[in-house]
């Protein structure tokens, strides 16, 4: 039986503790490792933070499943499913020590329960519980009202994947970038989706994103009035491998962008 309030309280407590620990982190060279190459990093803090969440969640809710970036899935027996990215924006964590997030999303039976995304260095906690709207540090947030292409700010977390690598929508995305007001890239799927939720950006494109990257922020964005789908216009799957994402400040903006990208 779902107990969203107890899980939400635990998630809030853990994300606060983990954020405080990351703010104090001072990385040594030997604590930074490459996963698949120099553009794909992991640090001891990514692993330590994910273990911290896993151990606390498994102790409190042993039937829950945990899908995190750094360790194999822990399969429960029908409880809730947690999606954890211990550091979203590891490159920023390593190079800037800012613009990185802890992302915690929780679902039950395919339905969202809550999402939490902590912008760690700003100590800004984006939150949403299903049906309860979205907030940042307790103050309600809402998507922007911008609807016309020339006034939209487009954000995309992986510039090489969006604009430089060949894919079916590459040329259309380059054209789109030339028509919007501006293009930004912070380098964190979770934080950039929260920027759309908070009205600071209007459109978001990612050519690859995993469930732990977006499953918390998607709840926050939808509760703030935004909409998202795959680049093919399909509903975003809750599980599975990396997917593309087209997200926007409204269903209308998302449909306009989808039509632009597919040449309609
Ligand atoms: C990455 C960041 C990045 C995005 C990548 C993600 P990580 O997550 O969100 O902005 O372009 O696709 O994998 O590796 O920092 O957790
Ligand atoms: Ca990530
Ligand atoms: Ca990560």
């Amino acid at each position: 039986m779902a107990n969203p309030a107890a899980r939400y309280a635990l998630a809030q407590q853990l994300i606060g503790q983990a954020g405080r620990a990351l703010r104090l982190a001072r990385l040594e060279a030997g604590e930074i490792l490459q996963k698949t190459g120099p553009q794909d990093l992991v640090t001891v803090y990514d692993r330590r933070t994910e273990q911290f969440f896993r151990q606390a969640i498994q102790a409190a809710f042993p039937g829950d499943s945990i899908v995190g970036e750094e360790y194999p899935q822990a399969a429960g027996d029908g409880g809730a499913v947690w999606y954890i990215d211990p550091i979203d924006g590891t490159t920023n964590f390593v190079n800037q020590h800012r613009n990185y997030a802890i992302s915690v999303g929780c679902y039950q039976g395919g339905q969202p329960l809550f999402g939490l995304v902590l912008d760690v260095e700003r100590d800004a906690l984006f939150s949403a519980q299903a049906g309860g709207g979205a907030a940042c540090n307790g103050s309600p947030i809402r998507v922007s009202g911008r609807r016309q292409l020339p006034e939209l700010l487009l954000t995309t977390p992986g510039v090489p994947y969006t604009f430089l690598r060949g894919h079916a929508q590459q040329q259309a995305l380059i054209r789109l970038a030339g028509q919007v007001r501006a293009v930004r890239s912070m380098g964190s799927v979770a934080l950039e989706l929260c920027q759309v939720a908070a009205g600071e950006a209007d459109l978001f494109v990612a050519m690859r994103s995993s469930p732990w990257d977006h499953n918390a922020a998607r709840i926050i964005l939808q509760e703030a009035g935004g909409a998202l789908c795959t680049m093919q216009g399909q509903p975003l799957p809750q599980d599975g491998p990396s997917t593309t994402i087209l997200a926007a400040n409204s269903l209308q903006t998302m449909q306009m962008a989808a039509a632009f990208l597919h040449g309609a």
Side-chain angles (χ1 to χ4, degrees):
M1 184 69 187
N3 187 345
R7 288 182 173 85
Y8 187 61
L10 177 66
Q12 283 183 304
Q13 179 203 323
L14 296 177
I15 208 166
Q17 273 180 260
R20 283 190 288 280
L22 289 179
R23 279 193 290 277
L24 294 173
R26 294 295 171 263
L27 267 172
E28 308 285 335
E31 295 176 327
I32 306 164
L33 305 161
Q34 294 185 8
K35 289 203 276 190
T36 56
Q39 297 178 339
D40 186 12
L41 303 177
V42 65
T43 73
V44 294
Y45 292 95
D46 298 66
R47 292 177 177 163
R48 199 177 290 163
T49 304
E50 187 167 324
Q51 284 299 347
F52 168 73
F53 276 96
R54 282 176 179 264
Q55 285 164 16
I57 292 165
Q58 282 172 334
F61 301 103
D64 286 6
S65 302
I66 303 176
V67 181
E69 179 169 14
E70 309 301 345
Y71 294 93
Q73 176 167 353
D77 57 6
V81 187
W82 297 70
Y83 297 89
I84 298 172
D85 194 340
I87 299 182
D88 185 46
T90 295
T91 301
N92 293 344
F93 178 67
V94 169
N95 282 46
Q96 308 175 337
H97 204 80
R98 64 195 294 248
N99 297 326
Y100 65 92
I102 303 171
S103 174
V104 180
C106 192
Y107 291 67
Q108 173 112 33
Q111 299 301 315
L113 296 182
F114 60 81
L116 289 173
V117 172
L118 178 66
D119 182 333
V120 178
E121 294 299 320
R122 292 185 184 86
D123 200 10
L125 180 62
F126 295 91
S127 63
Q129 296 182 77
C136 182
N137 284 346
S139 299
I141 55 170
R142 189 83 199 145
V143 290
S144 78
R146 298 185 188 93
R147 296 289 181 268
Q148 304 303 316
L149 211 50
E151 57 181 5
L152 302 184
L153 198 150
L154 167 68
T155 182
T156 186
V159 171
Y161 298 98
T162 305
F163 296 120
L164 306 180
R165 300 220 179 149
H167 56 79
Q169 275 86 41
Q170 185 189 17
Q171 291 310 314
L173 276 168
I174 292 170
R175 279 200 307 281
L176 181 72
Q179 297 207 16
V180 293
R181 177 168 287 164
V183 182
R184 297 283 183 272
S185 180
M186 188 193 282
S188 161
V189 168
L191 287 178
E192 290 179 46
L193 284 171
C194 287
Q195 286 187 316
V196 181
E200 296 169 5
D202 312 296
L203 200 54
F204 167 102
V205 169
M207 297 314 296
R208 46 167 230 169
S209 181
S210 296
W212 50 79
D213 293 315
H214 58 250
N215 268 346
R218 70 188 286 182
I219 302 174
I220 296 165
L221 175 62
Q222 287 177 316
E223 287 292 333
L228 70 184
C229 61
T230 70
M231 288 288 283
Q232 288 67 44
Q234 300 300 312
L236 211 55
Q238 185 184 318
D239 290 300
S242 178
T243 180
T244 57
I245 303 181
L246 174 61
N249 59 13
S250 62
L251 187 61
Q252 187 187 330
T253 307
M254 188 185 86
Q255 287 170 339
M256 175 182 70
F260 186 102
L261 294 173
H262 292 96

